[in-house]
């Protein structure tokens, strides 16, 4: 992978300027192992509300672009806030489009990370996202889980940058695990394990 050929698309489930989750995706860009690039996808706000009448006429251009980016990626990194014990609408709306068959998320390796100001670090929200991604299904990395509590101690509140060195080290290990997880699916599998 020394040629930079392994590509991870990074989705943040927050549009906030100083979002900690956008900061997590930027940190992943900086901390990715050699040969791995993390490309932030920053256009979730252009995706219209899902409407099956619109879908029936053909995917709008931002939806096509989103699906194409997911399809081209070796793996996807989703940094999601927890909203109301679940995940933000900006993310689920994109997934409503993206999980419709034929879904680019089908059999796509996905890593989930998240942070919150409180003690549980998006544990509830991440479980909801895992459940949503079962629809295609995507192959969500089971471990390590990256639940980052007490966000205000670890991020720069003005910029959203991840400044805590131990959490940056955890991100480094998480990205290595996501790459290894993805490589497992390059192995041949039997037809009943992986039917299209
Ligand atoms: C609408 C809304 C709902 C939220 N619900 C939760 C929640 O259920 N659990 C939680 O730990 N934090 C919750 N929070 C706080 C978020 O964890 C916090 O605002 C976080 O920084 C959002 O991510 P961002 O920095 O990337 O925007 C909520 C915030 C908002 C705006």
């Amino acid at each position: 992978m020394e040629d930079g050929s392994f590509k991870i698309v990074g989705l943040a489930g927050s549009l906030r300027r100083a979002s900690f989750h956008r900061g997590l995706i930027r940190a992943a860009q900086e901390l990715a192992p050699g040969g791995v690039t993390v490309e932030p996808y920053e256009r979730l706000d252009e995706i219209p509300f899902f409407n099956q009448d619109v879908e029936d006429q053909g995917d709008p251009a931002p939806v096509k672009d989103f699906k194409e980016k997911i399809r081209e990626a070796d793996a996807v990194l989703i940094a999601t806030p927890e909203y109301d014990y679940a995940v933000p609408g900006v993310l689920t709306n994109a997934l409503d489009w993206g999980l419709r068959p034929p879904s680019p998320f089908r059999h796509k390796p996905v890593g989930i990370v998240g942070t919150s100001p409180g003690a549980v670090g998006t544990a509830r929200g991440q479980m909801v996202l895992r459940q949503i991604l079962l629809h295609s299904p995507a192959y969500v990395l089971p471990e390590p889980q990256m639940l980052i509590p007490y966000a205000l101690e670890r991020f720069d509140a003005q910029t959203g940058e991840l400044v805590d060195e131990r959490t940056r080290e955890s991100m480094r290990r998480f990205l290595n695990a996501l790459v290894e997880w993805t490589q497992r699916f390059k192995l041949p599998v039997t037809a009943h394990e992986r039917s299209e």
Side-chain angles (χ1 to χ4, degrees), residues 2 25-26 29 31 39-41 48 60 71 77 92 98 105 118 127-129 135 147-148 155 157 162 180-181 188 195:
E2 293 309 313
I25 297 295
R26 289 195 299 277
Q29 266 187 301
L31 300 168
E39 187 183 304
Y41 190 78
R71 193 167 284 114
L77 177 68
T92 54
F105 281 95
M127 290 308 287
V128 171
L129 184 55
H135 182 203
L147 309 161
I148 308 168
F155 291 80
L162 175 61
E180 279 180 29
W181 175 243
S195 60

Side-chain angles (χ1 to χ4, degrees), residues 14 16 18-22 81-85 115-117 124:
S14 172
R16 198 166 72 84
S19 157
F20 300 149
H21 294 87
R22 293 178 62 213
E82 179 173 294
Y83 274 13
D84 309 321
Y85 286 20
T115 186
S116 68
R124 296 162 297 214

Side-chain angles (χ1 to χ4, degrees), residues 8 22 28 30 40 57 59 65 73 78 82 94 102 104 109 115 125 127 133 138 141 143 156 162 174 190 193 195:
I8 297 174
R22 293 178 62 213
E30 293 159 13
Q57 304 298 313
D59 286 343
D65 179 66
I78 303 181
E82 179 173 294
T115 186
M127 290 308 287
L133 290 168
L141 176 67
E143 62 174 358
D156 181 325
L162 175 61
F174 187 89
T190 58
E193 288 174 315
S195 60

Side-chain angles (χ1 to χ4, degrees), residues 65-108:
D65 179 66
F66 172 62
K67 288 183 172 179
E68 197 47 41
K69 288 288 186 315
I70 301 298
R71 193 167 284 114
E72 286 169 6
D74 294 290
V76 179
L77 177 68
I78 303 181
T80 186
E82 179 173 294
Y83 274 13
D84 309 321
Y85 286 20
V87 287
V90 69
L91 182 58
T92 54
N93 182 56
L95 292 174
D96 284 345
W97 288 102
L99 295 175
R100 299 279 284 172
S103 169
F105 281 95
R106 183 167 171 78
H107 300 157
K108 186 70 70 177

